[in-house]
Amino acid sequence: MFSKTNLISTLVTFLWGFLGGYLLWGIIGDPLLEDHVVVAGLSREIPDFAILALGCLIMGFVFSTIYSKWARGTHGISHGLKFGLGIGVFIGFGSGLIDYATANLLDFSGTIINGIIYTIHFSVMGILASLVYGKFASEG
């Protein structure tokens, strides 16, 4: 759980979670989603970056830990992609559609767009975790 490999993977996936999240949602997703927000003013104009970083760190650690158990020593780009894709669909579409059904966050089109962004985000995260584990697992 606290192996050298898992800690390196946590750092890499944390950085992707934070910076990649900014790229995907802040730069690419914002203009795509702005017309699909149901209730204006729900999102903060400026995020609380300390809490955002903490959330990304927790997500990176849990993602890396679960990936290491799921992979069972087989680490390749396609393996990481499959894992990340599964998590992305689980969160992006599973949780996204539940949110759509129960809250006024995004319209249906926005929910689908957001689900696609989540799927891309976690697919890349899975690839990164697999690369780290493939490189360092035998050392740590």
Side-chain angles (χ1 to χ4, degrees):
M1 182 182 233
F2 291 107
S3 69
K4 172 183 155 185
T5 305
N6 192 41
L7 294 177
I8 293 169
S9 180
T10 295
L11 177 63
V12 170
T13 55
F14 155 73
L15 289 171
W16 169 252
F18 193 81
L19 300 173
Y22 174 70
L23 171 68
L24 292 174
W25 280 281
I27 295 174
I28 297 170
D30 191 43
L32 294 173
L33 292 169
E34 69 184 344
D35 292 336
H36 300 285
V37 175
V38 176
V39 178
L42 290 178
S43 295
R44 294 176 189 238
E45 190 65 32
I46 299 174
D48 183 330
F49 287 106
I51 300 299
L52 179 60
L54 178 61
C56 290
L57 182 63
I58 292 168
M59 184 174 286
F61 176 73
V62 172
F63 187 94
S64 295
T65 302
I66 295 172
Y67 169 78
S68 72
K69 305 297 183 210
W70 178 83
R72 294 185 309 250
T74 305
H75 308 291
I77 291 175
S78 65
H79 207 72
L81 175 64
K82 288 176 192 173
F83 180 76
L85 187 63
I87 298 297
V89 169
F90 173 70
I91 294 173
F93 289 102
S95 184
L97 289 170
I98 290 169
D99 285 346
Y100 173 76
T102 61
N104 288 318
L105 303 173
L106 294 169
D107 64 18
F108 188 74
S109 296
T111 299
I112 299 303
I113 293 167
N114 204 36
I116 292 168
I117 294 171
Y118 267 105
T119 302
I120 293 167
H121 185 257
F122 283 107
S123 293
V124 171
M125 190 176 282
I127 291 169
L128 293 171
S130 72
L131 290 172
V132 169
Y133 271 90
K135 173 79 174 151
F136 295 103
S138 60
E139 299 173 21

